[in-house]
PDB file of all heavy atoms in Angstrom:
ATOM      1  N   GLY A 270      82.211  99.842  92.166  1.00  0.00           N
ATOM      2  CA  GLY A 270      82.259  98.562  92.889  1.00  0.00           C
ATOM      3  C   GLY A 270      82.859  97.459  92.010  1.00  0.00           C
ATOM      4  O   GLY A 270      83.676  96.656  92.482  1.00  0.00           O
ATOM      5  N   LYS A 271      82.439  97.403  90.739  1.00  0.00           N
ATOM      6  CA  LYS A 271      82.999  96.385  89.821  1.00  0.00           C
ATOM      7  C   LYS A 271      84.490  96.594  89.667  1.00  0.00           C
ATOM      8  O   LYS A 271      85.278  95.652  89.654  1.00  0.00           O
ATOM      9  CB  LYS A 271      82.307  96.511  88.471  1.00  0.00           C
ATOM     10  CG  LYS A 271      80.889  95.902  88.453  1.00  0.00           C
ATOM     11  CD  LYS A 271      80.113  96.345  87.249  1.00  0.00           C
ATOM     12  CE  LYS A 271      80.732  95.942  85.930  1.00  0.00           C
ATOM     13  NZ  LYS A 271      79.883  96.286  84.770  1.00  0.00           N
ATOM     14  N   SER A 272      84.934  97.855  89.504  1.00  0.00           N
ATOM     15  CA  SER A 272      86.361  98.132  89.324  1.00  0.00           C
ATOM     16  C   SER A 272      87.177  97.672  90.523  1.00  0.00           C
ATOM     17  O   SER A 272      88.224  96.994  90.369  1.00  0.00           O
ATOM     18  CB  SER A 272      86.542  99.637  89.084  1.00  0.00           C
ATOM     19  OG  SER A 272      87.918  99.961  89.047  1.00  0.00           O
ATOM     20  N   MET A 273      86.746  98.033  91.709  1.00  0.00           N
ATOM     21  CA  MET A 273      87.514  97.682  92.918  1.00  0.00           C
ATOM     22  C   MET A 273      87.511  96.200  93.188  1.00  0.00           C
ATOM     23  O   MET A 273      88.556  95.614  93.507  1.00  0.00           O
ATOM     24  CB  MET A 273      86.941  98.425  94.123  1.00  0.00           C
ATOM     25  CG  MET A 273      87.150  99.938  94.127  1.00  0.00           C
ATOM     26  SD  MET A 273      88.905 100.387  94.284  1.00  0.00           S
ATOM     27  CE  MET A 273      89.241 100.777  92.548  1.00  0.00           C
ATOM     28  N   LEU A 274      86.372  95.550  93.061  1.00  0.00           N
ATOM     29  CA  LEU A 274      86.316  94.128  93.373  1.00  0.00           C
ATOM     30  C   LEU A 274      87.014  93.290  92.291  1.00  0.00           C
ATOM     31  O   LEU A 274      87.594  92.241  92.597  1.00  0.00           O
ATOM     32  CB  LEU A 274      84.838  93.690  93.503  1.00  0.00           C
ATOM     33  CG  LEU A 274      84.124  94.266  94.734  1.00  0.00           C
ATOM     34  CD1 LEU A 274      82.638  93.952  94.654  1.00  0.00           C
ATOM     35  CD2 LEU A 274      84.729  93.719  96.023  1.00  0.00           C
ATOM     36  N   THR A 275      86.945  93.757  91.034  1.00  0.00           N
ATOM     37  CA  THR A 275      87.630  93.012  89.979  1.00  0.00           C
ATOM     38  C   THR A 275      89.138  93.055  90.183  1.00  0.00           C
ATOM     39  O   THR A 275      89.844  92.022  90.050  1.00  0.00           O
ATOM     40  CB  THR A 275      87.302  93.622  88.593  1.00  0.00           C
ATOM     41  OG1 THR A 275      85.905  93.480  88.345  1.00  0.00           O
ATOM     42  CG2 THR A 275      88.077  92.945  87.486  1.00  0.00           C
ATOM     43  N   LYS A 276      89.641  94.200  90.586  1.00  0.00           N
ATOM     44  CA  LYS A 276      91.084  94.330  90.867  1.00  0.00           C
ATOM     45  C   LYS A 276      91.466  93.503  92.082  1.00  0.00           C
ATOM     46  O   LYS A 276      92.522  92.822  92.080  1.00  0.00           O
ATOM     47  CB  LYS A 276      91.410  95.803  91.113  1.00  0.00           C
ATOM     48  CG  LYS A 276      92.925  96.063  91.227  1.00  0.00           C
ATOM     49  CD  LYS A 276      93.203  97.565  91.441  1.00  0.00           C
ATOM     50  CE  LYS A 276      92.858  98.378  90.216  1.00  0.00           C
ATOM     51  NZ  LYS A 276      93.335  99.794  90.345  1.00  0.00           N
ATOM     52  N   TYR A 277      90.616  93.486  93.090  1.00  0.00           N
ATOM     53  CA  TYR A 277      90.857  92.699  94.277  1.00  0.00           C
ATOM     54  C   TYR A 277      90.971  91.219  93.947  1.00  0.00           C
ATOM     55  O   TYR A 277      91.919  90.538  94.336  1.00  0.00           O
ATOM     56  CB  TYR A 277      89.776  92.920  95.325  1.00  0.00           C
ATOM     57  CG  TYR A 277      89.819  92.016  96.500  1.00  0.00           C
ATOM     58  CD1 TYR A 277      90.701  92.233  97.569  1.00  0.00           C
ATOM     59  CD2 TYR A 277      88.961  90.878  96.574  1.00  0.00           C
ATOM     60  CE1 TYR A 277      90.723  91.395  98.657  1.00  0.00           C
ATOM     61  CE2 TYR A 277      89.016  90.052  97.664  1.00  0.00           C
ATOM     62  CZ  TYR A 277      89.874  90.275  98.706  1.00  0.00           C
ATOM     63  OH  TYR A 277      89.944  89.423  99.763  1.00  0.00           O
ATOM     64  N   VAL A 278      89.996  90.690  93.212  1.00  0.00           N
ATOM     65  CA  VAL A 278      89.989  89.283  92.831  1.00  0.00           C
ATOM     66  C   VAL A 278      91.201  88.940  91.974  1.00  0.00           C
ATOM     67  O   VAL A 278      91.851  87.917  92.173  1.00  0.00           O
ATOM     68  CB  VAL A 278      88.696  88.916  92.078  1.00  0.00           C
ATOM     69  CG1 VAL A 278      88.784  87.520  91.484  1.00  0.00           C
ATOM     70  CG2 VAL A 278      87.477  89.007  93.000  1.00  0.00           C
ATOM     71  N   SER A 279      91.542  89.839  91.091  1.00  0.00           N
ATOM     72  CA  SER A 279      92.691  89.617  90.157  1.00  0.00           C
ATOM     73  C   SER A 279      93.973  89.421  90.909  1.00  0.00           C
ATOM     74  O   SER A 279      94.745  88.509  90.649  1.00  0.00           O
ATOM     75  CB  SER A 279      92.795  90.766  89.162  1.00  0.00           C
ATOM     76  OG  SER A 279      93.914  90.627  88.335  1.00  0.00           O
ATOM     77  N   VAL A 280      94.257  90.296  91.895  1.00  0.00           N
ATOM     78  CA  VAL A 280      95.534  90.198  92.596  1.00  0.00           C
ATOM     79  C   VAL A 280      95.510  89.089  93.619  1.00  0.00           C
ATOM     80  O   VAL A 280      96.538  88.417  93.872  1.00  0.00           O
ATOM     81  CB  VAL A 280      95.910  91.529  93.236  1.00  0.00           C
ATOM     82  CG1 VAL A 280      96.107  92.630  92.220  1.00  0.00           C
ATOM     83  CG2 VAL A 280      94.910  91.969  94.313  1.00  0.00           C
ATOM     84  N   LEU A 299      80.408  90.691  92.682  1.00  0.00           N
ATOM     85  CA  LEU A 299      80.630  91.051  91.292  1.00  0.00           C
ATOM     86  C   LEU A 299      79.503  90.529  90.408  1.00  0.00           C
ATOM     87  O   LEU A 299      79.085  91.201  89.457  1.00  0.00           O
ATOM     88  CB  LEU A 299      81.992  90.490  90.809  1.00  0.00           C
ATOM     89  CG  LEU A 299      83.211  91.368  91.129  1.00  0.00           C
ATOM     90  CD1 LEU A 299      84.472  90.590  90.806  1.00  0.00           C
ATOM     91  CD2 LEU A 299      83.142  92.649  90.337  1.00  0.00           C
TER      92      LEU A 299
END
Side-chain angles (χ1 to χ4, degrees):
K271 284 165 62 177
S272 174
M273 290 295 101
L274 292 172
T275 298
K276 187 178 292 188
Y277 171 80
V278 170
S279 176
V280 298
L299 276 171

